[in-house]
Amino acid sequence: MKRENLTWRSFADSGTAGQGAIASRWNLTNTPTLYALDARGVIRYKWVGGPGERVIDAALDKLIKEAERGDKKPPN
């Protein structure tokens, strides 16, 4: 994480992409695969491939606002 200057948690299998324990547990078919979880730990977004900075920022902004409001239920 330091080498890549990541400010979020990141996990990766060593070796062949899509073949390790993490890929198996999370049902990954391609790399990169990105997940955004809400404040309750519920997967709210999954992107296979690079969705772009704007898409990720918009999704995270929405999740942060929900967390700040203390939303108890995920949206429909």
Side-chain angles (χ1 to χ4, degrees):
M1 289 177 55
K2 285 183 180 182
R3 184 180 76 203
E4 298 296 330
N5 197 28
L6 299 180
T7 57
W8 61 87
R9 293 179 76 180
S10 180
F11 304 93
D13 287 317
S14 58
T16 306
Q19 301 292 317
I22 295 170
S24 177
R25 183 169 183 176
W26 286 81
N27 194 28
L28 302 179
T29 56
N30 293 311
T31 57
T33 300
L34 307 171
Y35 292 89
L37 286 66
D38 65 18
R40 294 169 305 283
V42 175
I43 297 171
R44 295 280 298 280
Y45 299 95
K46 176 182 177 182
W47 299 283
V48 177
E53 184 177 325
R54 289 182 185 178
V55 171
I56 294 171
D57 284 348
L60 296 179
D61 285 343
K62 181 178 180 179
L63 293 176
I64 290 166
K65 287 176 185 171
E66 288 175 9
E68 290 173 343
R69 286 192 311 261
D71 290 357
K72 302 294 182 195
K73 297 187 322 185
N76 295 333

